[in-house]
Amino acid sequence: NYSPGRINHANIWTVSAFDNQDKFASFSNYGNPPIDYSGPGVDVLSLWKNGGTNTISGTSMAAPHIAGLLLTVPNTISTDGYVSNDPDGNPDLIAVADLPLTVSVGGPTVVNSGSPTVFSSSVSHADGQVSYQWYYRVSPSGSWIAISGATAASLFHTFYNPGGYENQAVKVQASSNGETASDIHSVDVIKECQGLKLQSATVNKIIPCP
């Protein structure tokens, strides 16, 4: 109920403080609204006036963290859970950096020519709905070819070794809220009955051809 902590308006962010256990700082003001986010404010190492550093506590430490996040993503702050022991009983959101979108592809690294194979993607730090597009190439220097209709998180694809190419690959491109990330997964394609073949995609053991 005191200014300026009671201010609640567009383009104004009111900040509480928490410690390294995500526990509400005992010294911090509280009240929701107008508190928008909570930031780290206990035993924070900071640059200090006239040089050097100092480790202090206060919402004066928490507020610059939020200001820094707003400089990188104006008007949009990502959150990760809530503080505990908030005195007003309405836990404040913990503000965090908006980590970049990442995607990785998993699947076998050796397959038989002509054998259907499943690949799956795993996405981290998505901000909303994720869309996918899969590609493949038949040699390390070949061009990527978009796979029509392959827009799900997993891919069911069959590789062929026509002779001369064995190292092939798949690629997935994931997009979410304007961010894009991709990952490549290499596959050695064993041509049927040229001395060796893969026993199965699950056993992953190469045996002589009959």
Side-chain angles (χ1 to χ4, degrees):
N1 297 321
Y2 296 91
S3 293
R6 68 181 180 90
I7 301 299
N8 193 23
H9 197 272
N11 298 322
I12 293 176
W13 287 264
T14 306
V15 179
S16 63
F18 65 90
D19 63 18
N20 61 4
Q21 301 298 316
D22 295 348
K23 183 179 178 181
F24 196 90
S26 60
F27 56 77
S28 180
N29 201 351
Y30 55 89
N32 227 345
I35 290 177
D36 298 293
Y37 302 104
S38 196
V42 179
D43 295 332
V44 177
L45 178 66
S46 175
L47 297 177
W48 205 243
K49 184 179 180 181
N50 298 324
T53 61
N54 196 7
T55 299
I56 66 170
S57 300
T59 49
S60 292
M61 296 289 98
H65 280 87
I66 307 301
L69 293 177
L70 286 167
L71 284 172
T72 61
V73 283
N75 302 314
T76 302
I77 290 181
S78 296
T79 59
D80 183 15
Y82 298 84
V83 298
S84 61
N85 297 343
D86 192 326
D88 61 23
N90 188 1
D92 298 335
L93 286 163
I94 295 175
V96 296
D98 184 15
L99 298 175
L101 179 72
T102 61
V103 62
S104 60
V105 179
T109 56
V110 183
V111 300
N112 284 323
S113 177
S115 297
T117 307
V118 177
F119 301 91
S120 59
S121 65
S122 177
V123 171
S124 299
H125 314 308
D127 185 13
Q129 186 174 355
V130 180
S131 60
Y132 303 87
Q133 177 60 60
W134 290 84
Y135 304 81
Y136 77 96
R137 67 183 181 194
V138 297
S139 72
S141 60
S143 299
W144 289 107
I145 302 170
I147 304 174
S148 178
T151 56
S154 59
L155 172 69
F156 191 73
H157 185 68
T158 301
F159 287 95
Y160 295 95
N161 182 354
Y165 300 132
E166 287 191 353
N167 183 254
Q168 303 186 34
V170 293
K171 179 176 74 170
V172 66
Q173 181 173 290
S175 300
S176 176
N177 195 28
E179 287 188 286
T180 300
S182 63
D183 188 39
I184 297 172
H185 186 80
S186 296
V187 180
D188 288 329
V189 182
I190 305 300
K191 188 174 181 181
E192 292 287 356
C193 295
Q194 282 198 338
L196 296 173
K197 67 180 292 187
L198 186 67
Q199 189 177 41
S200 74
T202 55
V203 175
N204 202 31
K205 179 181 178 182
I206 297 176
I207 60 174
C209 284

